[in-house]
């Protein structure tokens, strides 16, 4: 029974749009709006439109900086919690049209992305501190009108990102959002766009804004958590034993999607995880803030893009409407480092040792004499067949596999395994292993079905 359910879990697959999003992997967030000019993180909604006045707006400069880091898309805060719209919406006066700038920032950004060959998406805050309808059923009409403007006026979008933050407090306005209606509009006008609404339907929040990853990251998760997504299985075998056990499941849980947890679920969905963080402490630009150091950004890349998630890195334009030179420099450094580490593969001869019929597997990877020492092994599962691998290890083939160079958990879209990584939780570099082994053994020690690896690469 458990085995049948695991096999069923191994067949929960991403949609076409999720697969395309997985391919994109690394994209930018752009937080820009009245807060940029008032030095705040959350605006009050009472700001005068006149405060929005970028003096030298250049969206091509944003795209150039984004591309230098290797990012392949941009998501712009079309409207943050303060309700100020970066496009001249017909449905409110609180927008760029009444600012000294006048121009349509959404259009300028979308056009710059198209020119630069990267994808464009929008962030639209459901919480709106400016609009008088907020807190009434009519607000849903207002929101849908705005959403429709964005979905129909700016070409193809790859992403619609809803922010569930709300600071109204217990005595504040209470809005019942009609999310199913919002989703329907997106599917109608932008069928290829993925939707982020914290708990699916297509992408889920990682649970923090600091770039901290889970040890094992499953795209297949209990429906109780990602209730916006379509269920692909029936209930887990232990669901009846604990009918409400997962009611309090949240994105911060370190065990999301692990076997002991999915057994209690009321069904499974495919909703992969996005790791979002800002290059600086704040989401909006503040003069005195500095970008995070390169190590932190690189580490976050390895534990997001390299751990079955995506990396959504915020880079806030300043009051000129340009990306700050300090951030431009950091993005360039990151791009150069990624290129140095992953720009050139080490040729490897791969042989599957087992007969490929068991819920485990063994591969032998051999390198030509005189090759550079291997620093990373990159694995990818064929997600069109489902996410299966639960645990694996990589050992020097010439030494004892009980003392490997790397212990891994999930693989999914991609696992970047840094051999001998001192930051990895369990990663013993044993004394007797060769620092530049000629051949490696990859052992899948646990899998929900026969492992289906698509890629094994060395760098
Ligand atoms: C949060 C918001 O409150 C922040 O201002 C920011 O937009 C971040 C991405 O999401 O929920």
């Amino acid at each position: 029974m458990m085995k049948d359910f695991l096999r069923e879990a191994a067949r929960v697959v991403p949609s076409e749009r999720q697969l395309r999003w997985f391919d994109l992997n690394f994209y930018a967030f752009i937080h820009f709006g009245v807060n940029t000019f008032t030095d705040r993180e959350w605006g009050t909604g009472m700001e005068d439109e006149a405060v929005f006045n970028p003096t030298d707006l250049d969206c091509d400069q944003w795209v150039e900086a984004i591309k230098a880091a290797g990012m392949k898309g941009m998501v712009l805060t079309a409207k943050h919690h303060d309700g100020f719209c970066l496009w001249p919406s017909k449905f409110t006066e609180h927008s760029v049209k009444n600012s000294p700038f006048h121009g349509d920032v959404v259009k300028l950004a979308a056009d710059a992305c198209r020119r630069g060959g990267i994808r464009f998406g929008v962030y639209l805050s459901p919480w709106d501190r400016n609009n008088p309808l907020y807190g009434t059923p009519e607000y849903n009409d207002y929101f849908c009108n705005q959403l429709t403007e964005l979905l129909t006026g700016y070409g193809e979008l790859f992403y619609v990102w809803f922010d569930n933050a709300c600071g109204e407090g217990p005595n504040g306005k209470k809005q019942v959002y009609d999310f199913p209606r919002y989703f329907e509009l997106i599917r109608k006008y932008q069928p290829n766009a993925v939707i982020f609404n914290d708990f699916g339907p297509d992408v889920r929040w990682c649970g923090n804004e600091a770039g901290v990853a889970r040890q094992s990251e499953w795209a297949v998760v209990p429906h109780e958590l990602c209730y916006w997504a379509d269920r692909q299985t029936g209930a887990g075998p232990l669901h009846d034993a604990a009918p409400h056990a997962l009611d309090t499941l949240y994105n911060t849980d370190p065990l999301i999607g692990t076997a002991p947890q999915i057994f209690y679920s009321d069904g499974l969905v495919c909703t992969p995880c996005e790791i979002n963080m800002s290059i600086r402490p704040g989401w909006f630009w503040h003069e005195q803030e500095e970008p995070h150091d390169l190590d932190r950004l690189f580490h976050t890349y390895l534990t997001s893009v390299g751990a079955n998630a995506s990396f959504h890195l915020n880079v806030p334009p300043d009051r000129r409407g340009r990306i700050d030179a300090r951030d431009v420099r950091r993005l360039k450094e990151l791009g150069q480092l990624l290129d140095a580490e992953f720009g050139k593969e080490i040729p490897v001869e791969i042989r599957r040792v087992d007969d490929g019929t068991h819920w485990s597997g063994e591969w032998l990877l051999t390198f030509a004499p005189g090759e550079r020492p291997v620093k990373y092994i990159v694995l990818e599962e064929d997600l069109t067949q489902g996410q299966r691998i639960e645990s694996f290890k990589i050992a020097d083939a010439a030494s004892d596999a009980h003392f490997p160079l790397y212990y891994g958990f999930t693989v999914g879209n991609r696992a970047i395994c840094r051999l001998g990584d001192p930051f990895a939780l369990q990663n013993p570099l044993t004394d007797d292993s060769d620092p530049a082994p000629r051949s490696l053994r990859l052992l899948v020690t646990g899998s929900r079905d026969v492992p289906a690896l698509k890629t094994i690469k060395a760098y």
Side-chain angles (χ1 to χ4, degrees), residues 29 31 41-42 80-81 123 161 163 165 209 283:
F29 224 159
H31 275 68
E41 279 292 309
W42 279 6
H80 203 251
H81 308 321
Y123 160 114
W161 209 98
D163 186 335
E209 295 181 338
W283 291 97

Side-chain angles (χ1 to χ4, degrees), residues 29 31-47 51 77 79-84 94 123 125-130 134 161 163-170 177 198 205 209 281-286 289:
F29 224 159
H31 275 68
F32 190 45
V34 286
N35 296 339
T36 312
F37 300 87
T38 56
D39 218 11
R40 300 178 71 112
E41 279 292 309
W42 279 6
T44 60
M46 308 297 282
E47 291 83 3
V51 303
T77 53
K79 178 186 86 165
H80 203 251
H81 308 321
D82 49 67
F84 181 80
H94 198 50
Y123 160 114
S125 170
W127 182 34
D128 189 318
R129 304 183 86 175
N130 173 267
Y134 188 82
W161 209 98
D163 186 335
N164 278 254
C166 178
E168 287 290 323
Y177 301 118
D198 281 4
W205 181 43
E209 295 181 338
W283 291 97
F284 287 88
W285 181 82
H286 307 287
E289 288 187 357

Side-chain angles (χ1 to χ4, degrees), residues 323-388:
I323 307 291
D324 187 305
R326 294 169 285 183
D327 300 346
V328 170
R329 204 175 313 122
R330 193 53 34 86
L331 291 174
K332 230 181 243 165
E333 288 167 359
L334 179 59
Q336 282 163 355
L337 181 57
L338 290 173
D339 204 44
E341 299 297 86
F342 302 110
K344 198 162 173 274
E345 270 177 59
I346 299 178
V348 51
E349 197 190 295
I350 301 161
R351 186 165 67 83
R352 183 150 189 178
V353 177
D354 69 304
D355 65 5
T357 62
H358 294 94
W359 290 20
S360 62
E362 181 176 350
W363 287 260
L364 193 68
L365 321 183
T366 315
F367 305 95
E371 267 305 340
R372 288 171 284 148
V374 178
K375 254 168 116 175
Y376 305 92
I377 294 294
V378 175
L379 306 175
E380 293 176 355
E381 281 184 87
D382 178 2
L383 286 181
T384 61
Q385 297 193 53
Q387 187 180 348
R388 301 181 174 189

Side-chain angles (χ1 to χ4, degrees), residues 48-210:
D48 189 332
E49 291 82 35
V51 303
F52 185 82
N53 192 16
T55 50
D56 191 15
L57 184 94
D58 184 354
C59 298
D60 291 306
Q61 188 254 1
W62 305 357
V63 171
E64 203 186 315
I66 287 168
K67 282 169 67 178
M71 291 189 269
K72 293 172 259 173
M74 171 207 292
V75 179
L76 173 66
T77 53
K79 178 186 86 165
H80 203 251
H81 308 321
D82 49 67
F84 181 80
C85 299
L86 291 185
W87 80 104
S89 172
K90 278 201 308 248
F91 302 97
T92 178
E93 291 306 305
H94 198 50
S95 84
V96 280
K97 74 183 170 201
N98 290 320
S99 77
F101 178 72
H102 294 302
D104 181 342
V105 181
V106 177
K107 180 160 185 355
L108 292 167
D111 289 350
C113 286
R114 223 147 282 136
R115 271 194 298 279
I118 65 170
R119 309 299 310 277
F120 180 67
V122 292
Y123 160 114
L124 191 65
S125 170
W127 182 34
D128 189 318
R129 304 183 86 175
N130 173 267
N131 197 274
L133 295 173
Y134 188 82
T136 71
E138 289 71 40
Y139 176 76
N140 283 313
D141 299 330
Y142 174 74
F143 193 83
C144 284
N145 284 334
Q146 293 206 313
L147 186 58
T148 304
E149 286 182 318
L150 292 170
L151 296 171
T152 57
Y154 299 93
E156 179 159 86
L157 305 178
F158 85 97
Y159 213 165
V160 178
W161 209 98
F162 291 136
D163 186 335
N164 278 254
C166 178
E168 287 290 323
N171 302 319
K173 294 181 184 173
K174 283 188 183 52
Q175 178 67 48
V176 181
Y177 301 118
D178 194 349
F179 281 119
R181 190 174 154 204
Y182 309 167
F183 299 163
E184 212 178 293
L185 279 179
I186 299 167
R187 298 299 193 220
K188 175 172 168 198
Y189 292 117
Q190 296 282 349
N192 295 328
V194 284
I195 305 173
F196 175 105
N197 192 36
D198 281 4
F199 313 99
D202 301 315
V203 182
R204 79 174 194 279
W205 181 43
C206 61
N208 66 82
E209 295 181 338

Side-chain angles (χ1 to χ4, degrees), residues 242-455:
H244 303 295
L246 298 187
D247 274 0
T248 57
L249 192 59
Y250 192 64
N251 289 324
T252 46
D253 194 310
L255 297 178
I256 292 174
T258 56
Q261 198 181 74
I262 62 174
F263 287 145
Y264 297 96
S265 71
D266 76 359
L268 299 177
V269 299
C270 181
T271 310
C273 160
E274 169 181 291
I275 293 204
N276 52 46
M277 68 179 276
S278 184
I279 196 166
R280 292 153 165 253
W283 291 97
F284 287 88
W285 181 82
H286 307 287
E287 168 99 66
Q288 74 288 358
E289 288 187 357
E290 292 289 333
H292 298 309
D293 61 37
L294 183 58
D295 272 357
R296 174 157 176 199
L297 298 180
F298 181 59
H299 182 71
T300 307
Y301 179 91
L302 295 181
T303 54
S304 56
V305 172
N308 197 32
S310 71
F311 188 11
H312 195 179
L313 176 62
N314 180 64
V315 199
D318 61 17
R319 290 182 190 159
R320 295 168 305 165
R322 299 174 69 96
I323 307 291
D324 187 305
R326 294 169 285 183
D327 300 346
V328 170
R329 204 175 313 122
R330 193 53 34 86
L331 291 174
K332 230 181 243 165
E333 288 167 359
L334 179 59
Q336 282 163 355
L337 181 57
L338 290 173
D339 204 44
E341 299 297 86
F342 302 110
K344 198 162 173 274
E345 270 177 59
I346 299 178
V348 51
E349 197 190 295
I350 301 161
R351 186 165 67 83
R352 183 150 189 178
V353 177
D354 69 304
D355 65 5
T357 62
H358 294 94
W359 290 20
S360 62
E362 181 176 350
W363 287 260
L364 193 68
L365 321 183
T366 315
F367 305 95
E371 267 305 340
R372 288 171 284 148
V374 178
K375 254 168 116 175
Y376 305 92
I377 294 294
V378 175
L379 306 175
E380 293 176 355
E381 281 184 87
D382 178 2
L383 286 181
T384 61
Q385 297 193 53
Q387 187 180 348
R388 301 181 174 189
I389 296 171
E390 297 252 10
S391 60
F392 65 96
K393 56 185 173 179
I394 301 169
D396 178 348
S399 67
D400 189 343
H402 292 322
F403 302 95
L405 298 167
Y406 189 89
Y407 273 115
F409 298 90
T410 46
V411 174
N413 184 57
R414 184 168 306 143
I416 302 180
C417 315
R418 182 152 60 168
L419 306 185
D421 178 358
F423 295 110
L425 282 168
Q426 289 190 51
N427 212 344
L429 186 60
T430 53
D431 290 345
D432 59 348
S433 59
D434 184 343
R438 192 73 66 67
S439 55
L440 295 172
R441 278 173 81 190
L442 164 65
L443 289 142
V444 171
T445 47
S447 184
R448 294 178 179 184
D449 200 332
V450 177
L453 280 174
K454 179 172 81 175
T455 305

